[in-house]
Amino acid sequence: MSDQNEPDPLDPFEEIIAAETDRDPDLAVIEAGSRTLRTQGGPPQAHVPARPEDPEVDKALREVEAELATRWGETKLEPSVSRIAALMDLLGEPQRSYPSIHITGTNGKTSTARMIEALLGAFELRTGRYTSPHVQSVTERISLDGAPVSAERFIETYNDIKPYVEMVDSSQEYRLSFFEVLTGMAYAAFADAPVDVAVVEVGMGGSWDATNVIDGDVAVVTPIDLDHTDRLGSTPGEIAVEKAGIVKQDATVIMAQQPVDAAQVLLKKAVEVDATVAREGLEFGVVARQAAVGGQQVTLRGLGGEYPEVYLPLHGAHQAHNAAVALAAVEAFFGVGAARAEPLDIDTVRKAFASVSSPGRMEVVRRSPTVVLDAAHNPAGARAVAEAIGEAFDFSRLIGVVGASSDKNVRELLEAFEPIFAEVVVTQNSSHRAMDADELAAVAVEVFGDERVQVEPRLPDALEAAITLAEEEGEFTGGGVLVTGSVITVGEARLLLGKG
């Protein structure tokens, strides 16, 4: 008689679990051409706010942006939540007036947050979403009901909390940082709305991140990999120590597939605070997926059962995994798997996922030749994008435009793209953190060879050069361009290409 705890060898989901552990990109991928439900209208348009049309509003927003720019930037950190806690105290603890879902991890946080927001909204909850960094406009970071707040509301919120910000500035050793002020604005705006639930992405780490003055009912940990190693640690396990700081007493933890050392840290923290854990590949996961027009069709295994034939208008295996994590997080928020056994309404889930967009993440912004934008800025993100490009597009010649930040592991990022780029145009964005184009080119030559590297320090010139290279094979061939390396590079390219 077999052990009742042994998985049924005929259970297809158990087979998927085994496969998911290693994230083999070829598993569960079905040939394109099968049913592509809910794709007739094409993928949703990614909404990124442009500059205000009213000159007075635009002037006022620029003044707010200028004041915020005088503060510590997001890369200068002092590991403490004392300043943001002091601000919350003066504001009357607005972050306590609504439940929240808190998201950390290395890659996929923003896309996962957008999916969670779409699901909650489809179930008629009023949502607030706080994500970073922004692609084009700072107002993107604070969303209500699935859309960025208006410039007018952003300005009003800033002016409302400004006196309290100045009080904290005068009483602390350091002034509130750019990110801390924005976090205070988000929490105040959510309370003022008011929202039914806040979806909050950490800026960096977890324990001492400014967002961590909330106690998330659900803590989501997307895949942890190496990034910000100078601040967070040199191994996934060390980085997980900081990220585990968002796991609070009696919370539910939704854990994406993790390196073993990171998983051990997260599970230990969960035990310490009596948190419940749901793990991708065990309690939930991706059962199957197939390429579809404008994205993919997936079958997800949630905490409450299976959700078949879900159309996701985003490309890549990594987005399917983000969808599984987002679904489990929303199930956990509604008590599925704990307080209630039945799954969420499948039609509502399908409607929500079909509406998702994620600007600057495998986003097509031009055709003939096709230009794709993706904000991958670390090796793990680059590997996921390289895999997704091969699956979603049939490029006969792909040209890369890469502009990276100086504090990133650019060699491994370039190595991830080397197999898919016929040539690469290296450039730099306008940020003070941007790696000098010639310095980036020196690394690129070592990876690609001199003949495959072109240097164009100005991004407009780099885009023009890449499009010209992609067109060399003729109008009706499969040339394409991928712009990547940094959120800032992608945001600036998006503007240059007429989006926003």
Side-chain angles (χ1 to χ4, degrees):
M1 186 172 177
S2 62
D3 188 331
Q4 291 183 346
N5 293 322
E6 277 187 25
D8 181 354
L10 300 178
D11 184 349
F13 186 65
E14 295 298 340
E15 295 176 13
I16 296 297
I17 289 173
E20 292 276 321
T21 304
D22 296 322
R23 278 193 184 277
D24 186 325
D26 295 324
L27 290 169
V29 178
I30 302 174
E31 290 292 334
S34 298
R35 288 180 301 163
T36 55
L37 302 182
R38 291 165 293 283
T39 66
Q40 291 84 351
Q45 294 299 305
H47 177 57
V48 176
R51 297 299 310 184
E53 293 183 4
D54 185 325
E56 290 302 313
V57 175
D58 187 51
K59 179 184 177 183
L61 180 59
R62 291 184 187 278
E63 289 173 355
V64 172
E65 290 170 330
E67 288 185 24
L68 289 170
T70 65
R71 298 181 175 275
W72 273 3
E74 290 171 282
T75 59
K76 187 172 183 180
L77 304 168
E78 194 268 328
S80 166
V81 294
S82 60
R83 292 176 301 280
I84 187 68
L87 179 61
M88 292 297 99
D89 181 55
L90 289 175
L91 293 174
E93 305 291 346
Q95 81 284 12
R96 307 288 181 201
S97 63
Y98 41 79
S100 56
I101 297 176
H102 205 179
I103 308 168
T104 190
T106 301
N107 289 312
K109 296 188 296 295
T110 298
S111 293
T112 302
R114 285 176 167 272
M115 294 179 198
I116 291 172
E117 172 190 55
L119 284 162
L120 292 168
F123 284 99
E124 301 184 349
L125 291 184
R126 186 162 205 205
T127 57
R129 172 173 53 83
Y130 181 53
T131 53
S132 60
H134 57 273
V135 177
Q136 287 175 200
S137 171
V138 69
T139 59
E140 296 166 41
R141 297 182 180 225
I142 304 172
S143 287
L144 292 171
D145 296 321
V149 295
S150 66
E152 291 88 345
R153 189 160 193 162
F154 187 88
I155 295 161
E156 180 184 355
T157 302
Y158 176 77
N159 288 332
D160 282 347
I161 75 164
K162 184 178 178 180
Y164 304 98
V165 168
E166 291 172 347
M167 290 171 66
V168 174
D169 285 345
S170 65
S171 65
Q172 298 284 323
E173 183 179 1
Y174 303 106
R175 296 171 71 215
L176 285 154
S177 70
F178 169 86
F179 186 74
E180 287 169 333
V181 174
L182 282 173
T183 302
M185 289 173 61
Y187 288 163
F190 297 163
D192 186 59
V195 302
D196 297 315
V197 54
V199 182
V200 178
E201 172 189 340
V202 303
M204 186 186 300
S207 295
W208 42 260
D209 186 74
T211 63
N212 204 31
V213 289
I214 59 170
D215 293 330
D217 301 72
V218 179
V220 176
V221 188
T222 66
I224 293 174
D225 212 297
L226 301 183
D227 199 10
H228 303 296
T229 53
D230 56 329
R231 299 177 180 89
L232 300 179
S234 58
T235 67
E238 291 177 357
I239 293 171
V241 172
E242 272 301 325
K243 295 187 183 295
I246 74 162
V247 178
K248 304 298 175 61
Q249 189 73 33
D250 299 322
T252 300
V253 183
I254 303 300
M255 196 168 80
Q257 283 284 340
Q258 303 292 347
V260 173
D261 56 344
Q264 290 173 337
V265 169
L266 295 168
L267 291 170
K268 180 181 177 184
K269 177 60 182 286
V271 169
E272 291 172 355
V273 296
D274 292 324
T276 302
V277 179
R279 298 154 292 178
E280 182 186 6
L282 293 174
E283 285 78 22
F284 68 94
V286 179
V287 176
R289 67 185 196 89
Q290 61 190 41
V293 177
Q296 56 193 304
Q297 187 168 283
V298 298
T299 295
L300 303 176
R301 174 73 172 261
L303 305 179
E306 196 164 288
Y307 297 79
E309 298 178 349
V310 174
Y311 174 64
L312 180 66
L314 300 172
H315 297 290
H318 61 296
Q319 294 290 16
H321 291 288
N322 290 339
V325 169
L327 176 62
V330 173
E331 285 183 308
F333 181 78
F334 285 126
V336 174
R340 51 184 279 192
E342 70 275 11
L344 301 176
D345 178 71
I346 182 61
D347 289 332
T348 305
V349 169
R350 286 173 177 156
K351 178 183 176 182
F353 276 120
S355 72
V356 170
S357 67
S358 195
R361 277 79 178 177
M362 290 288 290
E363 181 185 10
V364 177
V365 293
R366 172 183 165 151
R367 299 286 187 182
S368 299
T370 298
V371 178
V372 182
L373 308 180
D374 195 276
H377 56 273
N378 56 46
R383 289 190 292 270
V385 171
E387 176 193 322
I389 284 283
E391 175 186 299
F393 302 95
D394 189 23
F395 292 129
S396 59
R397 177 180 174 81
L398 180 63
I399 309 300
V401 175
V402 180
S405 297
S406 57
D407 59 344
K408 298 299 180 181
N409 184 346
V410 295
R411 176 179 295 278
E412 288 190 23
L413 182 140
L414 291 170
E415 286 173 347
F417 287 123
E418 190 277 332
I420 68 168
F421 286 165
E423 298 184 51
V424 62
V425 182
V426 297
T427 187
Q428 63 191 74
N429 58 55
S430 63
S431 168
H432 67 280
R433 295 172 54 207
M435 176 175 277
D436 178 78
D438 289 331
E439 184 181 347
L440 180 57
V443 181
V445 167
E446 294 177 6
V447 174
F448 289 86
D450 186 61
E451 293 184 355
R452 294 168 63 195
V453 178
Q454 184 171 331
V455 186
E456 295 290 351
R458 295 181 65 252
L459 183 57
D461 297 337
L463 292 171
E464 183 178 349
I467 289 170
T468 300
L469 288 168
E471 290 174 332
E472 281 186 354
E473 292 187 358
E475 183 179 355
F476 300 106
T477 56
V481 174
L482 173 64
V483 183
T484 189
S486 162
V487 175
I488 297 169
T489 300
V490 162
E492 292 180 356
R494 205 173 186 278
L495 280 171
L496 289 166
L497 293 164
K499 295 288 183 178

